[in-house]
Amino acid sequence: MAERAALEELVRLQGERVRGLKQQKASTEQIEEEVAKLLKLKAQLGPDEGKHKFVLKTPKGTRDYSPRQMAVREKVFDVIISCFKRHGAEVIDTPVFELKETLTGKYGEDSKLIYDLKDQGGELLSLRYDLTVPFARYLAMNKLTNIKRYHIAKVYRRDNPAMTRGRYREFYQCDFDIAGQFDPMIPDAECLKIMCEILSSLQIGDFLVKVNDRRVLDGMFAVCGVPDTKFRTICSSVDKLDKVSWEEVKNEMVGEKGLAPEVADLIGDYVQQHGGVSLVEQLLQDPKLSQNKQALEGLGDLKLLFEYLTLFGIADKISFDLSLARGLDYYTGVIYEAVLLQPLARAGEEPLGVGSVAAGGRYDGLVGMFDPKGRKVPCVGLSIGVERIFSIVEQRLEALEEKVRTTETQVLVASAQKKLLEERLKLVSELWDAGIKAELLYKKNPKLLNQLQYCEEAGIPLVAIIGEQELKEGVIKLRSVASREEVDVRRGDLVEEIKRRTSQPFCIC
Amino acid sequence: MPQLGFLHGRAWAALLGQLRRPPGAVCIGAVHSHSQAAEATLASQLKPHKEKSNFIIKTPKGTRDFSPQQMVVREKILDMVISCFKRHGAKRLDTPAFELKEMLTERYGEDSGLIYDLKDQGGELLSLRYDLTVPFARYLAMNKVKKMKRYHVGKVWRRESPTIAQGRYREFCQCDFDIAGHFDPMIPDAECLKIMCEILSGLQLGDFLIKVNDRRILDGIFAVCGVPESKFHAICSSVDKLDKMSWKDVRHEMVAKKGLAPEVADRIGDYVQCHGGVSLVEHMFQDPELCQNKQALEGLGDLKLLFDYLTLFGIAEKVSFDLSLARGLDYYTGVIYEAVLLQTPAQAEEETLNVGSVAAGGRYDGLVGMFDPRGHKVPCVGLSIGVERIFSIVEQRMKTFGQKIRTIETQVFVATPQKNFLRERLKLIAELWDAGIKAELMYKNNPKLLTQLHYCEDMAIPLVVIIGEQELKEGFIKLRSVASREEVAIKRENLVAEVQRRLS
């Protein structure tokens, strides 16, 4: 043991020597000689080296995606991307980290949740917190005045993870945004149409899209008598109405945030309301609210929005909800959030669907923050909360006992007898060259039973069996794994036959 | 307000730094009131400050955005690579962008200094992943997986000196395919080479060559030539330069800079300048000195078997046994390989890019054992496709040929020549979307017909649906082909079917 410790110390010292030589820019020969010594010392430590030193895990709040989870993820992304493309969006990508100053000042109180990179002597960097700020930076940097783009990528937040509820520190966002100066509410309506299309296609149950407007909220606070300085904090109390009762919210506003009780009551008259376009019309008539210019603007836009949503056939899924507040830092107009109406729950666990599965809004001022001359590019967009959706889809597949394949292999090339490896290699290569998805076992003389079992476990529908007798006759046995039926197929016809069988719907192999 | 007076130089700098920092950073955070008046005040406050601020909009050094045009090219390349991996039955894996720092520090030897660390913010110490192989080994050990055939496409990060001209960035994409598990010899290794050939052929980058060697053969050669063990690593990296430098220069480096005896260098030269097919393998088996070396014999035996399999796979002529191939040998234990593009003389003139290898890999049987608490080994062999280099080549070639790229897939544009027809357009486009048709409309209440048609031409949208008052009364829609400019009148209720027919 002492020997080992001494050896480890030598390794450490030698490592430092190497680093030192590099810093001093010593000769290549010298460095490499010392490196060789280091490697030799490490080799002496043997396979034990390094094994005691850490616990095998991913960082807190992050996870690997197993092949099964990847298969689910790809299914979900396919639906989402296909919808984005249907609406004519281009795709972009941005780096995983930004200059720290790009992200500074954009997220309000949430800024403390940003992951910073260590100062290693270069630029100060931070991992991106969302895809919206990078988008705004991209627009300003390239001086773009209009674009319709989607972006699917991971973002990073040093939040308190709640992994059973699909809340991670590293997670995917699927964003769609329309940037540009256009006639009012048309792009906004399209965003809502997209949200509805995606949530319907994913078949995760009934959902509702709540809609509100920043200006309506601000106007409402103003006419109720909320002091300007308390707008933000009262907003975040109101936002909790989807989770707690009005009494509790009122208590927080009065008791914790120092709001006058009468003011709180006035707010209560408004924010507990939700409805369709009739509520919009009702509020347009409201004696107090109709005196407030901002609120009127917001209500006018919402009325127009509802018209368009009706033409889009989705008005019945939309609810004008005055309690919707959200993180309001950069939103300037309409805001929306989709919630599931019947969240699935495992026994004893909190329902997965709690909270929103998609959200967004209009943010006209963000790009202007990046542009050196403050030129504004109005934007509206949405973000799909896929992590929650992954969990829901996974659960649903489990419940339905649907098997999720993790590979797409169509044929296993097998042999019934020994010494047929060469034949298998030749055949599988033929299939690959014809674009067929095929595998073989990496054994010289595998047992037929093992090969068949492999197919059943992996869900491979067909087996091409090479046997000595068949080889002489120039045929291959093609076997359906599901039905266990076998036919002899001429070697030259095999590719065609496999393609024919695997192209049928539901692969009736 | 800090007291002025005697402050250290550093304190002064900090103070000045605070004053110079764009107040926007503070202002914006504080604007939670957001009433119209407040916003106006803020805007007027921000403007003069912003022009003074020294904030430059850019991506970090060595990283870049991908525009829609670039994304189309990248996605084509990745689709082709992934489709090949799938064809060979690989499962897909994904791992986090960062790992516990300790997971990475021991693995990369001298390259550890190139790892991006995350700031210590009171939690775990983290680092961005440097490649996809170490996370794979960690995954296998963590989940006690003994056999797995997986692919992983993802970004990795290295604080190298970026050389944009060679397509070398600090953030770049890797496409890895690996087979982990104890199997009969050389079958998975051969499949890896088959995959590399399929991908490089499929990408139509021109002729390519795959160089193959074996760690044990190299070690054996050095041993029989009399290279002192302590110099193995150093001599290896000299030998590796033979693809870029002449033997004379390499020999000179070994003797003059690395202190190798000239006779030893000459003996090495006799070996490492050789390359050929399976006949070279057989030739080396007969070599009087090398066949005394157990390691070298093992390596040669495996290579012979490999060539047998490559012949059955129909790719032996693309593979060259090249004794100068050394590569970063830190974790490789057996066969190693590297694919290079063979440029035609014309290309060599045109293209300023000289990207080196476009794919590489090898066998590494000891890595998983380093993670496993009990040192259990899981033999692995794999490959990595250098997509960034490939992307640079494809991008440059597309520029040279002036190829136009469609960045959207829209099939139908919904237009109108008249005013006040927005509502009809919205209803119609929803019908198309609900039928799964890719459609767009202009976000204007009253767009001009010409503008709409120009948009279709610019964006290569094949069909336009035109709604007008007359047609609407009669229950018809005009369907126009953008390319031919031919128009037909279709009954409103047949529109979707007709569009689908034309697009199929």
Side-chain angles (χ1 to χ4, degrees), chain A residues 101-250:
Chain A
E101 43 199 25
T102 301
L103 302 185
T104 313
K106 307 294 179 300
Y107 302 105
E109 301 149 18
D110 286 346
S111 297
K112 60 183 187 295
L113 300 178
I114 297 177
Y115 276 100
D116 288 330
L117 265 66
K118 184 173 168 185
D119 182 351
Q120 288 171 290
E123 301 163 320
L124 289 183
L125 307 168
S126 300
L127 295 182
R128 64 187 172 211
Y129 186 84
D130 65 6
L131 301 178
T132 309
V133 167
F135 177 49
R137 193 262 308 139
Y138 176 87
L139 291 175
M141 193 168 135
N142 296 285
K143 300 195 192 320
L144 295 172
T145 51
N146 69 307
I147 187 175
K148 184 163 52 181
R149 79 93 183 81
Y150 72 91
H151 186 184
I152 297 181
K154 290 187 188 163
V155 300
Y156 302 86
R157 301 184 184 182
R158 289 181 60 241
D159 221 338
N160 271 330
M163 282 154 84
T164 47
R165 281 189 283 147
R167 202 166 70 213
Y168 298 89
R169 287 185 163 183
E170 173 192 60
F171 59 95
Y172 263 101
Q173 281 197 327
C174 299
D175 280 24
F176 171 98
D177 293 75
I178 301 171
Q181 181 69 42
F182 301 114
D183 286 344
M185 301 321 278
I186 313 175
D188 311 54
E190 186 163 3
C191 284
L192 286 161
K193 175 67 173 162
I194 287 170
M195 258 168 71
C196 289
E197 280 178 25
I198 288 176
L199 295 177
S200 301
S201 306
L202 288 171
Q203 297 182 304
I204 44 180
D206 276 337
F207 60 91
L208 178 73
V209 182
K210 303 184 203 170
V211 152
N212 196 358
D213 192 295
R214 183 61 185 270
R215 298 159 290 176
V216 170
L217 260 172
D218 285 351
M220 183 180 68
F221 289 160
V223 306
C224 290
V226 178
D228 261 22
T229 50
K230 290 201 197 294
F231 266 34
R232 179 89 183 89
T233 184
I234 294 305
C235 235
S236 66
S237 293
V238 165
D239 194 33
K240 296 179 182 171
L241 265 175
D242 59 349
K243 293 188 196 68
V244 304
S245 70
W246 168 245
E247 276 70 51
E248 285 180 60
V249 171
K250 181 178 171 191

Side-chain angles (χ1 to χ4, degrees), chain A residues 399-413:
Chain A
L400 294 174
E401 290 185 15
E402 261 186 52
K403 197 171 185 229
V404 178
R405 277 198 73 184
T406 53
T407 62
E408 298 184 11
T409 309
Q410 299 161 313
V411 187
L412 184 82
V413 173

Side-chain angles (χ1 to χ4, degrees), chain A residues 29 36 90 183 307 444, chain B residues 184 191 230 257 407 423 445:
Chain A
E29 180 207 334
E90 305 179 295
D183 286 344
E307 263 188 66
K444 285 197 275 230
Chain B
D184 286 345
E191 185 164 3
S230 60
K257 290 200 191 140
T407 55
R423 282 154 182 75
N445 294 337

Side-chain angles (χ1 to χ4, degrees), chain A residues 22 29 32 36 57 64-65 90 93 96 123 137 170 183 190 193 232 307 433 439 442 444, chain B residues 58 65-66 94 97 110 124 138 149 155 171 184 191 230 257-258 407 423 434 443 445:
Chain A
K22 284 187 177 175
E29 180 207 334
E32 284 180 337
K57 65 192 267 308
D64 297 318
Y65 284 86
E90 305 179 295
D93 197 12
V96 82
E123 301 163 320
R137 193 262 308 139
E170 173 192 60
D183 286 344
E190 186 163 3
K193 175 67 173 162
R232 179 89 183 89
E307 263 188 66
D433 290 345
E439 290 187 71
Y442 299 126
K444 285 197 275 230
Chain B
K58 63 191 261 312
D65 298 318
F66 292 113
D94 195 13
E110 312 129 44
E124 301 162 320
R138 193 261 309 138
K149 183 164 50 180
K155 298 222 180 116
E171 171 185 78
D184 286 345
E191 185 164 3
S230 60
K257 290 200 191 140
K258 302 193 178 179
T407 55
R423 282 154 182 75
D434 290 345
Y443 298 128
N445 294 337

